Amino acid sequence: MIFRFAVWLPFLLAACSPSPTNPADSKVSNIRKDIPSDRQRANGTMKAGITPSCVAISGKYAYVTNSNGGNILVYGMGENGALEALASPPVVSGWGPNMIAIDPMGKFAYTANTDATSVSAFSIDARTGNLKEVRGSPFQAGKNPTFIAIAPSGKYVYVTNYGSTTVSAYAIDRNTGALREIKGSPFESGKAPASIAVDGAGKYVFVANSNSNDVSVFAIGNDGSLEPVRGSPFRTGSGPFAIAVSPGGNHVYVTNSLTTNMSVFSIGENGSLSPVPGSPFQTGMTPLWVTIAPAGKNVYVVNWLGGVSAYSVDPQTGALSQIEGSPFESGHAPKSVTVDPTGKFAYVANGGDNDVTAYEIDASGALIFMKKN
């Protein structure tokens, strides 16, 4: 029974999100205009589609996947970080797009279509932000593809197949964005592989295996193939779901979704993992997503039942200290948090409110609801 619950956790959470059509279920619909914080939240929130799951940023545009809408919305980004609705219609993807990832050059975008066993690929018009599906898309994946990681070189895409025990690996055609599955793919990981990350040097792939309660680490071959490192997999907490690697490639952060904590590991020379002092660190209830700010000074965790936890990072050990005011308010059933490349703004996809909330990030790393334009 534990196995089944862990495997279907993200899908159960999506199905249980409060309906945005019922005013009693939506904080946005019940905002009191005489409360400054609520006014700020109203001004920093943009309606999205049905169960928004992930926000990705490229240039002056933000892309939001709607996991129960089967599409992607494109927003403009003002200089103050505010999202601006565009006239362009939603872009159709495969059904159940859980995550969207953009290659390092900002040329291509990819969605993991959880309910369609596929990966959709799009070219990005840098001038307009428009997406155009590339020839041959969608590309076949394994069962319930959920998370995507792109190598820093822009040569390879890695996709976890959450409904199985594997990771699919693809080479990217640098001209068209089309995907070609790498020889040997899919590669065995653990039970219910969820989030996936690649270190900044492009040497290792890290996979959080939700039902194995461990993290698999792979060395990346010259052809993009994956080979488990010695000692892999490495034990973590219960229901590891989201994973992120520090910009310097020294530490790995893993949310344990069936608890209220996050494990932090140091990365050894061969990719091996060892817990840092003080790990695991306290989060809110059901931590589902972790993001590290580009400078590596702050870490943000989305708690499905408890807003966004924010931390400062010890640069030597990777240990975490909660920032004053954490956890910060979000909408209902938040599913992900994204920090823009400048490190000035953060965006939370609220699956239960069908919207995205924008924040300013102050010098301490605290989240402040976006002010009115």
Side-chain angles (χ1 to χ4, degrees):
M1 190 66 184
I2 293 176
F3 169 81
R4 297 192 177 201
F5 178 77
V7 167
W8 293 106
L9 175 64
F11 311 109
L12 287 171
L13 297 186
C16 293
S17 297
S19 168
T21 61
N22 182 353
D25 288 336
S26 174
K27 289 183 181 179
V28 172
S29 63
N30 286 331
I31 288 171
R32 287 183 55 190
K33 301 302 182 182
D34 59 321
I35 300 177
S37 62
D38 276 355
R39 287 203 304 272
Q40 288 184 353
R41 175 159 189 260
N43 294 327
T45 297
M46 177 66 69
K47 295 302 291 183
I50 305 174
T51 319
S53 293
C54 180
V55 180
I57 297 169
S58 180
K60 298 182 295 182
Y61 299 96
Y63 301 86
V64 179
T65 54
N66 296 299
S67 59
N68 285 339
N71 59 44
I72 307 161
L73 291 176
V74 184
Y75 298 89
M77 287 182 59
E79 291 185 1
N80 65 346
L83 299 184
E84 304 167 352
L86 301 180
S88 55
V91 179
V92 175
S93 67
W95 192 250
N98 184 71
M99 182 182 179
I100 182 168
I102 296 172
D103 82 301
M105 300 301 294
K107 294 176 59 178
F108 308 112
Y110 301 89
T111 61
N113 306 315
T114 302
D115 298 327
T117 65
S118 67
V119 176
S120 293
F122 304 87
S123 60
I124 300 174
D125 186 318
R127 183 178 61 86
T128 65
N130 290 338
L131 300 179
K132 181 180 179 181
E133 195 162 18
V134 307
R135 186 174 181 178
S137 176
F139 299 93
Q140 187 66 33
K143 187 177 181 181
N144 301 126
T146 303
F147 284 86
I148 302 176
I150 301 177
S153 64
K155 293 182 177 180
Y156 308 114
V157 171
Y158 300 98
V159 178
T160 55
N161 300 308
Y162 194 84
S164 66
T165 59
T166 63
V167 173
S168 295
Y170 306 87
I172 301 175
D173 185 309
R174 303 302 296 277
N175 294 316
T176 67
L179 300 182
R180 173 183 56 81
E181 196 159 12
I182 291 170
K183 184 178 180 180
S185 175
F187 298 93
E188 282 293 324
S189 182
K191 296 179 180 178
S195 186
I196 186 168
V198 182
D199 73 307
K203 295 175 61 177
Y204 302 109
V205 167
F206 302 86
V207 180
N209 302 306
S210 289
N211 204 56
S212 302
N213 294 336
D214 55 29
V215 173
S216 293
V217 183
F218 302 90
I220 300 176
N222 292 332
D223 60 352
S225 60
L226 301 181
E227 181 70 25
V229 305
R230 185 175 181 180
S232 179
F234 301 90
R235 298 295 295 176
T236 184
S238 182
F241 192 73
I243 192 166
V245 184
S246 63
N250 298 320
H251 301 101
V252 170
Y253 298 83
V254 184
T255 62
N256 300 309
S257 65
L258 300 183
T259 66
T260 57
N261 62 46
M262 176 169 59
S263 298
V264 182
F265 301 91
S266 292
I267 304 174
E269 290 185 2
N270 65 346
S272 63
L273 301 182
S274 55
V276 307
S279 179
F281 296 90
Q282 189 69 30
T283 64
M285 294 181 65
T286 318
L288 284 185
W289 194 283
V290 57
T291 294
I292 303 175
K297 295 181 179 180
N298 301 114
V299 170
Y300 300 93
V301 173
V302 156
N303 307 297
W304 187 70
L305 297 176
V308 183
S309 296
Y311 308 85
S312 57
V313 180
D314 184 309
Q316 300 301 319
T317 67
L320 301 177
S321 300
Q322 288 221 34
I323 293 171
E324 185 177 356
S326 174
F328 297 95
E329 183 189 354
S330 68
H332 286 169
K335 298 190 72 177
S336 69
V337 56
T338 300
V339 176
D340 85 304
T342 70
K344 295 180 179 179
F345 311 111
Y347 304 88
V348 173
N350 302 304
D353 285 338
N354 288 353
D355 59 28
V356 175
T357 298
Y359 305 82
E360 298 174 27
I361 301 176
D362 74 9
S364 72
L367 301 182
I368 303 170
F369 289 129
M370 190 75 71
K371 294 182 175 66
K372 185 176 182 180
N373 293 341

